[in-house]
Short mmCIF file of all heavy atoms in Angstrom, two decimals:
data_model
loop_
_atom_site.label_atom_id
_atom_site.label_comp_id
_atom_site.label_asym_id
_atom_site.label_seq_id
_atom_site.Cartn_x
_atom_site.Cartn_y
_atom_site.Cartn_z
N VAL A 842 42.44 72.48 -58.80
CA VAL A 842 43.87 72.68 -59.03
C VAL A 842 44.71 71.85 -58.03
O VAL A 842 45.85 71.50 -58.33
CB VAL A 842 44.23 74.19 -58.95
CG1 VAL A 842 44.18 74.70 -57.51
CG2 VAL A 842 45.56 74.48 -59.60
N ALA A 843 44.10 71.51 -56.91
CA ALA A 843 44.84 70.75 -55.89
C ALA A 843 45.02 69.29 -56.30
O ALA A 843 45.73 68.53 -55.64
CB ALA A 843 44.11 70.84 -54.55
N THR A 844 44.37 68.88 -57.41
CA THR A 844 44.57 67.50 -57.88
C THR A 844 45.88 67.36 -58.68
O THR A 844 46.31 66.26 -58.98
CB THR A 844 43.41 67.05 -58.80
OG1 THR A 844 43.37 67.91 -59.95
CG2 THR A 844 42.07 67.08 -58.09
N VAL A 845 46.50 68.51 -59.01
CA VAL A 845 47.65 68.46 -59.93
C VAL A 845 48.88 67.75 -59.33
O VAL A 845 49.50 66.93 -60.01
CB VAL A 845 47.99 69.89 -60.42
CG1 VAL A 845 49.29 69.90 -61.19
CG2 VAL A 845 46.85 70.42 -61.28
N PRO A 846 49.28 68.03 -58.07
CA PRO A 846 50.52 67.42 -57.57
C PRO A 846 50.51 65.89 -57.64
O PRO A 846 51.50 65.28 -58.04
CB PRO A 846 50.59 67.90 -56.12
CG PRO A 846 49.79 69.14 -56.09
CD PRO A 846 48.71 68.99 -57.10
N VAL A 847 49.38 65.27 -57.28
CA VAL A 847 49.36 63.80 -57.31
C VAL A 847 49.34 63.29 -58.75
O VAL A 847 49.94 62.26 -59.06
CB VAL A 847 48.16 63.25 -56.48
CG1 VAL A 847 48.07 61.74 -56.59
CG2 VAL A 847 48.30 63.67 -55.03
N ALA A 848 48.69 64.05 -59.64
CA ALA A 848 48.72 63.66 -61.05
C ALA A 848 50.16 63.64 -61.55
O ALA A 848 50.57 62.75 -62.29
CB ALA A 848 47.86 64.61 -61.88
N LEU A 849 50.96 64.63 -61.13
CA LEU A 849 52.37 64.67 -61.55
C LEU A 849 53.19 63.57 -60.88
O LEU A 849 54.05 62.95 -61.49
CB LEU A 849 53.00 66.02 -61.18
CG LEU A 849 52.58 67.22 -62.02
CD1 LEU A 849 53.43 68.42 -61.64
CD2 LEU A 849 52.74 66.93 -63.50
N LEU A 850 52.90 63.33 -59.61
CA LEU A 850 53.67 62.33 -58.85
C LEU A 850 53.40 60.92 -59.39
O LEU A 850 54.27 60.07 -59.38
CB LEU A 850 53.30 62.43 -57.37
CG LEU A 850 54.20 61.73 -56.37
CD1 LEU A 850 55.62 62.31 -56.40
CD2 LEU A 850 53.62 61.86 -54.95
N ALA A 851 52.17 60.70 -59.85
CA ALA A 851 51.77 59.46 -60.52
C ALA A 851 52.17 58.19 -59.75
O ALA A 851 52.90 57.34 -60.28
CB ALA A 851 52.33 59.42 -61.94
N PRO A 852 51.71 58.04 -58.50
CA PRO A 852 52.04 56.81 -57.75
C PRO A 852 51.41 55.58 -58.39
O PRO A 852 50.37 55.67 -59.04
CB PRO A 852 51.42 57.07 -56.38
CG PRO A 852 50.37 58.10 -56.60
CD PRO A 852 50.82 58.94 -57.75
N GLU A 853 52.07 54.44 -58.22
CA GLU A 853 51.62 53.20 -58.87
C GLU A 853 51.21 52.18 -57.80
O GLU A 853 51.77 52.19 -56.70
CB GLU A 853 52.79 52.58 -59.64
CG GLU A 853 53.43 53.50 -60.63
CD GLU A 853 53.06 53.12 -62.04
OE1 GLU A 853 52.36 52.11 -62.21
OE2 GLU A 853 53.47 53.86 -62.95
N PRO A 854 50.31 51.24 -58.17
CA PRO A 854 49.90 50.20 -57.21
C PRO A 854 51.12 49.47 -56.65
O PRO A 854 52.06 49.17 -57.39
CB PRO A 854 49.06 49.24 -58.07
CG PRO A 854 48.54 50.10 -59.17
CD PRO A 854 49.61 51.14 -59.44
N GLY A 855 51.10 49.22 -55.33
CA GLY A 855 52.16 48.43 -54.71
C GLY A 855 53.36 49.23 -54.23
O GLY A 855 54.21 48.71 -53.53
N GLU A 856 53.42 50.53 -54.57
CA GLU A 856 54.58 51.32 -54.15
C GLU A 856 54.45 51.75 -52.68
O GLU A 856 53.41 51.57 -52.05
CB GLU A 856 54.72 52.57 -55.03
CG GLU A 856 55.15 52.23 -56.43
CD GLU A 856 55.41 53.46 -57.29
OE1 GLU A 856 54.79 54.52 -57.05
OE2 GLU A 856 56.19 53.34 -58.23
N ARG A 857 55.56 52.34 -52.18
CA ARG A 857 55.55 52.97 -50.84
C ARG A 857 55.58 54.47 -51.06
O ARG A 857 56.50 55.00 -51.69
CB ARG A 857 56.80 52.57 -50.06
CG ARG A 857 56.71 51.25 -49.36
CD ARG A 857 58.01 50.96 -48.64
NE ARG A 857 58.33 51.95 -47.61
CZ ARG A 857 57.79 51.96 -46.41
NH1 ARG A 857 56.92 51.03 -46.05
NH2 ARG A 857 58.13 52.89 -45.52
N VAL A 858 54.56 55.14 -50.56
CA VAL A 858 54.44 56.57 -50.81
C VAL A 858 54.27 57.30 -49.47
O VAL A 858 53.51 56.85 -48.61
CB VAL A 858 53.23 56.87 -51.74
CG1 VAL A 858 53.08 58.36 -51.98
CG2 VAL A 858 53.42 56.14 -53.07
N LEU A 859 54.99 58.40 -49.32
CA LEU A 859 54.89 59.22 -48.11
C LEU A 859 54.16 60.51 -48.45
O LEU A 859 54.53 61.21 -49.41
CB LEU A 859 56.31 59.53 -47.60
CG LEU A 859 56.44 60.47 -46.41
CD1 LEU A 859 55.77 59.87 -45.16
CD2 LEU A 859 57.91 60.78 -46.12
N ASP A 860 53.11 60.82 -47.67
CA ASP A 860 52.38 62.08 -47.80
C ASP A 860 52.72 62.86 -46.54
O ASP A 860 52.18 62.59 -45.47
CB ASP A 860 50.87 61.76 -47.91
CG ASP A 860 50.05 62.99 -48.19
OD1 ASP A 860 50.62 64.09 -48.22
OD2 ASP A 860 48.82 62.84 -48.36
N LEU A 861 53.63 63.82 -46.69
CA LEU A 861 54.30 64.39 -45.51
C LEU A 861 53.46 65.42 -44.76
O LEU A 861 53.69 65.68 -43.59
CB LEU A 861 55.63 65.00 -45.97
CG LEU A 861 56.75 65.18 -44.97
CD1 LEU A 861 56.98 63.96 -44.12
CD2 LEU A 861 58.03 65.54 -45.70
N CYS A 862 52.50 66.05 -45.43
CA CYS A 862 51.62 67.05 -44.79
C CYS A 862 50.21 66.68 -45.26
O CYS A 862 49.69 67.26 -46.21
CB CYS A 862 51.96 68.45 -45.26
SG CYS A 862 53.66 68.90 -44.97
N ALA A 863 49.60 65.72 -44.61
CA ALA A 863 48.49 64.99 -45.25
C ALA A 863 47.10 65.54 -44.97
O ALA A 863 46.20 65.38 -45.79
CB ALA A 863 48.54 63.53 -44.83
N ALA A 864 46.87 66.15 -43.80
CA ALA A 864 45.50 66.52 -43.43
C ALA A 864 45.01 67.71 -44.26
O ALA A 864 45.81 68.59 -44.57
CB ALA A 864 45.45 66.86 -41.95
N PRO A 865 43.74 67.77 -44.63
CA PRO A 865 42.65 66.85 -44.29
C PRO A 865 42.54 65.61 -45.18
O PRO A 865 41.53 64.93 -45.15
CB PRO A 865 41.40 67.72 -44.43
CG PRO A 865 41.77 68.70 -45.51
CD PRO A 865 43.25 68.94 -45.38
N GLY A 866 43.54 65.32 -45.96
CA GLY A 866 43.59 64.00 -46.58
C GLY A 866 43.08 63.87 -48.00
O GLY A 866 42.89 62.75 -48.49
N ASN A 867 42.86 65.01 -48.69
CA ASN A 867 42.33 64.87 -50.06
C ASN A 867 43.37 64.28 -51.00
O ASN A 867 43.06 63.41 -51.81
CB ASN A 867 41.86 66.24 -50.57
CG ASN A 867 40.69 66.73 -49.77
OD1 ASN A 867 39.87 65.93 -49.33
ND2 ASN A 867 40.61 68.02 -49.56
N LYS A 868 44.60 64.76 -50.87
CA LYS A 868 45.63 64.20 -51.75
C LYS A 868 45.99 62.78 -51.31
O LYS A 868 46.35 61.94 -52.13
CB LYS A 868 46.85 65.12 -51.80
CG LYS A 868 46.50 66.47 -52.42
CD LYS A 868 47.68 67.39 -52.55
CE LYS A 868 47.23 68.81 -52.87
NZ LYS A 868 46.66 69.52 -51.70
N THR A 869 45.84 62.49 -50.03
CA THR A 869 46.05 61.11 -49.57
C THR A 869 45.06 60.19 -50.29
O THR A 869 45.42 59.11 -50.76
CB THR A 869 45.81 60.99 -48.04
OG1 THR A 869 46.48 62.04 -47.37
CG2 THR A 869 46.27 59.65 -47.51
N ALA A 870 43.81 60.64 -50.37
CA ALA A 870 42.78 59.84 -51.05
C ALA A 870 43.14 59.64 -52.51
O ALA A 870 43.02 58.54 -53.07
CB ALA A 870 41.42 60.52 -50.93
N GLN A 871 43.62 60.71 -53.13
CA GLN A 871 44.00 60.62 -54.55
C GLN A 871 45.15 59.63 -54.74
O GLN A 871 45.14 58.82 -55.66
CB GLN A 871 44.46 62.01 -54.96
CG GLN A 871 43.91 62.53 -56.24
CD GLN A 871 44.62 63.83 -56.62
OE1 GLN A 871 44.97 64.65 -55.76
NE2 GLN A 871 44.83 64.02 -57.91
N ILE A 872 46.13 59.69 -53.83
CA ILE A 872 47.28 58.77 -53.92
C ILE A 872 46.81 57.33 -53.74
O ILE A 872 47.11 56.44 -54.54
CB ILE A 872 48.34 59.11 -52.84
CG1 ILE A 872 48.96 60.48 -53.09
CG2 ILE A 872 49.42 58.04 -52.77
CD1 ILE A 872 49.82 61.01 -51.94
N ALA A 873 46.05 57.11 -52.66
CA ALA A 873 45.66 55.74 -52.30
C ALA A 873 44.78 55.11 -53.38
O ALA A 873 44.91 53.91 -53.68
CB ALA A 873 44.93 55.75 -50.96
N THR A 874 43.91 55.89 -54.00
CA THR A 874 43.03 55.32 -55.03
C THR A 874 43.81 55.09 -56.32
O THR A 874 43.60 54.08 -56.99
CB THR A 874 41.79 56.21 -55.30
OG1 THR A 874 42.22 57.52 -55.64
CG2 THR A 874 40.87 56.28 -54.11
N ARG A 875 44.74 55.99 -56.65
CA ARG A 875 45.59 55.76 -57.84
C ARG A 875 46.40 54.49 -57.68
O ARG A 875 46.77 53.85 -58.65
CB ARG A 875 46.54 56.93 -58.05
CG ARG A 875 45.97 58.04 -58.89
CD ARG A 875 47.05 59.01 -59.27
NE ARG A 875 47.83 58.49 -60.38
CZ ARG A 875 48.00 59.11 -61.53
NH1 ARG A 875 47.43 60.28 -61.73
NH2 ARG A 875 48.74 58.59 -62.49
N MET A 876 46.70 54.13 -56.43
CA MET A 876 47.48 52.92 -56.17
C MET A 876 46.57 51.70 -56.07
O MET A 876 47.00 50.62 -55.65
CB MET A 876 48.30 53.08 -54.88
CG MET A 876 49.44 54.08 -55.07
SD MET A 876 50.18 54.62 -53.53
CE MET A 876 50.82 53.09 -52.89
N ALA A 877 45.30 51.87 -56.47
CA ALA A 877 44.33 50.78 -56.53
C ALA A 877 44.20 50.07 -55.19
O ALA A 877 43.99 48.85 -55.13
CB ALA A 877 44.70 49.79 -57.64
N ASN A 878 44.35 50.81 -54.07
CA ASN A 878 44.17 50.26 -52.72
C ASN A 878 45.25 49.23 -52.38
O ASN A 878 45.05 48.39 -51.52
CB ASN A 878 42.79 49.62 -52.56
CG ASN A 878 42.05 50.20 -51.36
OD1 ASN A 878 42.60 50.99 -50.60
ND2 ASN A 878 40.80 49.78 -51.18
N ARG A 879 46.40 49.29 -53.07
CA ARG A 879 47.50 48.36 -52.78
C ARG A 879 48.75 49.15 -52.40
O ARG A 879 48.84 50.34 -52.65
CB ARG A 879 47.77 47.49 -54.00
CG ARG A 879 46.65 46.48 -54.23
CD ARG A 879 46.64 45.95 -55.64
NE ARG A 879 47.96 45.59 -56.11
CZ ARG A 879 48.27 45.48 -57.41
NH1 ARG A 879 47.35 45.70 -58.32
NH2 ARG A 879 49.46 45.14 -57.78
N GLY A 880 49.72 48.43 -51.80
CA GLY A 880 50.95 49.09 -51.39
C GLY A 880 50.77 49.84 -50.09
O GLY A 880 49.88 49.52 -49.30
N THR A 881 51.59 50.87 -49.89
CA THR A 881 51.60 51.57 -48.59
C THR A 881 51.60 53.08 -48.79
O THR A 881 52.45 53.62 -49.50
CB THR A 881 52.88 51.19 -47.81
OG1 THR A 881 52.89 49.79 -47.59
CG2 THR A 881 52.93 51.91 -46.46
N VAL A 882 50.63 53.74 -48.17
CA VAL A 882 50.63 55.19 -48.11
C VAL A 882 50.80 55.56 -46.64
O VAL A 882 49.96 55.20 -45.81
CB VAL A 882 49.31 55.80 -48.63
CG1 VAL A 882 49.40 57.32 -48.65
CG2 VAL A 882 48.96 55.25 -50.00
N ILE A 883 51.88 56.24 -46.31
CA ILE A 883 52.06 56.74 -44.94
C ILE A 883 51.68 58.21 -44.96
O ILE A 883 52.33 59.02 -45.64
CB ILE A 883 53.53 56.58 -44.46
CG1 ILE A 883 54.01 55.15 -44.69
CG2 ILE A 883 53.67 57.04 -43.02
CD1 ILE A 883 53.95 54.22 -43.58
N ALA A 884 50.61 58.54 -44.25
CA ALA A 884 50.08 59.90 -44.26
C ALA A 884 50.42 60.56 -42.92
O ALA A 884 49.94 60.12 -41.87
CB ALA A 884 48.57 59.87 -44.47
N VAL A 885 51.24 61.60 -42.98
CA VAL A 885 51.75 62.25 -41.76
C VAL A 885 51.18 63.66 -41.68
O VAL A 885 51.10 64.36 -42.69
CB VAL A 885 53.30 62.35 -41.83
CG1 VAL A 885 53.85 63.07 -40.61
CG2 VAL A 885 53.92 60.98 -41.99
N ASP A 886 50.77 64.06 -40.49
CA ASP A 886 50.47 65.47 -40.26
C ASP A 886 50.82 65.78 -38.81
O ASP A 886 50.76 64.91 -37.95
CB ASP A 886 49.00 65.81 -40.53
CG ASP A 886 48.79 67.29 -40.79
OD1 ASP A 886 48.74 68.06 -39.80
OD2 ASP A 886 48.72 67.71 -41.97
N ARG A 887 51.18 67.03 -38.59
CA ARG A 887 51.60 67.42 -37.25
C ARG A 887 50.42 67.40 -36.27
O ARG A 887 50.60 67.22 -35.09
CB ARG A 887 52.17 68.84 -37.34
CG ARG A 887 52.74 69.29 -36.09
CD ARG A 887 53.57 70.53 -36.27
NE ARG A 887 54.27 70.73 -35.03
CZ ARG A 887 55.31 71.49 -34.87
NH1 ARG A 887 55.79 72.13 -35.88
NH2 ARG A 887 55.85 71.62 -33.70
N PHE A 888 49.19 67.58 -36.80
CA PHE A 888 48.04 67.76 -35.90
C PHE A 888 47.10 66.57 -35.96
O PHE A 888 46.44 66.32 -36.98
CB PHE A 888 47.32 69.06 -36.25
CG PHE A 888 48.22 70.24 -36.11
CD1 PHE A 888 48.77 70.86 -37.23
CD2 PHE A 888 48.59 70.71 -34.85
CE1 PHE A 888 49.65 71.93 -37.10
CE2 PHE A 888 49.47 71.77 -34.70
CZ PHE A 888 50.00 72.38 -35.84
N ALA A 889 47.01 65.86 -34.83
CA ALA A 889 46.20 64.64 -34.77
C ALA A 889 44.74 64.93 -35.06
O ALA A 889 44.07 64.13 -35.73
CB ALA A 889 46.36 63.98 -33.39
N ASN A 890 44.22 66.09 -34.59
CA ASN A 890 42.79 66.37 -34.82
C ASN A 890 42.50 66.53 -36.31
O ASN A 890 41.48 66.08 -36.82
CB ASN A 890 42.32 67.59 -34.02
CG ASN A 890 43.13 68.83 -34.34
OD1 ASN A 890 44.26 68.73 -34.82
ND2 ASN A 890 42.56 69.99 -34.12
N ARG A 891 43.42 67.14 -37.05
CA ARG A 891 43.22 67.27 -38.50
C ARG A 891 43.31 65.91 -39.19
O ARG A 891 42.64 65.64 -40.18
CB ARG A 891 44.25 68.24 -39.09
CG ARG A 891 43.95 69.71 -38.75
CD ARG A 891 45.03 70.66 -39.22
NE ARG A 891 45.29 70.67 -40.64
CZ ARG A 891 44.54 71.27 -41.56
NH1 ARG A 891 43.44 71.91 -41.20
NH2 ARG A 891 44.88 71.24 -42.83
N LEU A 892 44.14 65.02 -38.62
CA LEU A 892 44.23 63.68 -39.21
C LEU A 892 42.95 62.87 -38.98
O LEU A 892 42.64 61.96 -39.74
CB LEU A 892 45.41 62.92 -38.61
CG LEU A 892 46.77 63.19 -39.24
CD1 LEU A 892 47.82 62.33 -38.58
CD2 LEU A 892 46.76 62.95 -40.75
N GLY A 893 42.20 63.23 -37.92
CA GLY A 893 40.93 62.55 -37.66
C GLY A 893 39.99 62.72 -38.85
O GLY A 893 39.31 61.78 -39.27
N VAL A 894 39.96 63.92 -39.42
CA VAL A 894 39.12 64.19 -40.59
C VAL A 894 39.59 63.29 -41.75
O VAL A 894 38.80 62.67 -42.45
CB VAL A 894 39.24 65.67 -41.01
CG1 VAL A 894 38.43 65.96 -42.25
CG2 VAL A 894 38.83 66.59 -39.86
N ALA A 895 40.90 63.21 -41.92
CA ALA A 895 41.47 62.40 -43.01
C ALA A 895 41.12 60.93 -42.81
O ALA A 895 40.78 60.22 -43.76
CB ALA A 895 42.98 62.59 -43.06
N ARG A 896 41.18 60.48 -41.57
CA ARG A 896 40.90 59.05 -41.30
C ARG A 896 39.44 58.73 -41.60
O ARG A 896 39.13 57.70 -42.21
CB ARG A 896 41.24 58.73 -39.83
CG ARG A 896 41.22 57.26 -39.51
CD ARG A 896 41.36 57.01 -38.04
NE ARG A 896 40.44 57.79 -37.22
CZ ARG A 896 39.14 57.59 -37.15
NH1 ARG A 896 38.57 56.64 -37.86
NH2 ARG A 896 38.37 58.35 -36.39
N ARG A 897 38.53 59.63 -41.23
CA ARG A 897 37.11 59.37 -41.50
C ARG A 897 36.86 59.33 -43.00
O ARG A 897 36.09 58.53 -43.50
CB ARG A 897 36.23 60.42 -40.81
CG ARG A 897 36.12 60.19 -39.31
CD ARG A 897 35.04 61.03 -38.69
NE ARG A 897 35.40 62.43 -38.62
CZ ARG A 897 36.23 62.97 -37.72
NH1 ARG A 897 36.78 62.21 -36.80
NH2 ARG A 897 36.50 64.26 -37.73
#
Side-chain angles (χ1 to χ4, degrees):
V842 73
T844 61
V845 171
V847 176
L849 287 187
L850 194 62
E853 305 254 357
E856 289 185 332
R857 277 179 61 80
V858 179
L859 175 63
D860 186 356
L861 203 46
C862 304
N867 294 326
K868 296 183 193 76
T869 313
Q871 227 189 324
I872 294 170
T874 56
R875 272 192 79 123
M876 289 166 62
N878 235 354
R879 289 160 45 201
T881 300
V882 185
I883 309 263
V885 178
D886 201 280
R887 185 167 190 163
F888 300 104
N890 58 337
R891 286 175 60 78
L892 276 182
V894 178
R896 190 188 50 71
R897 284 192 288 282

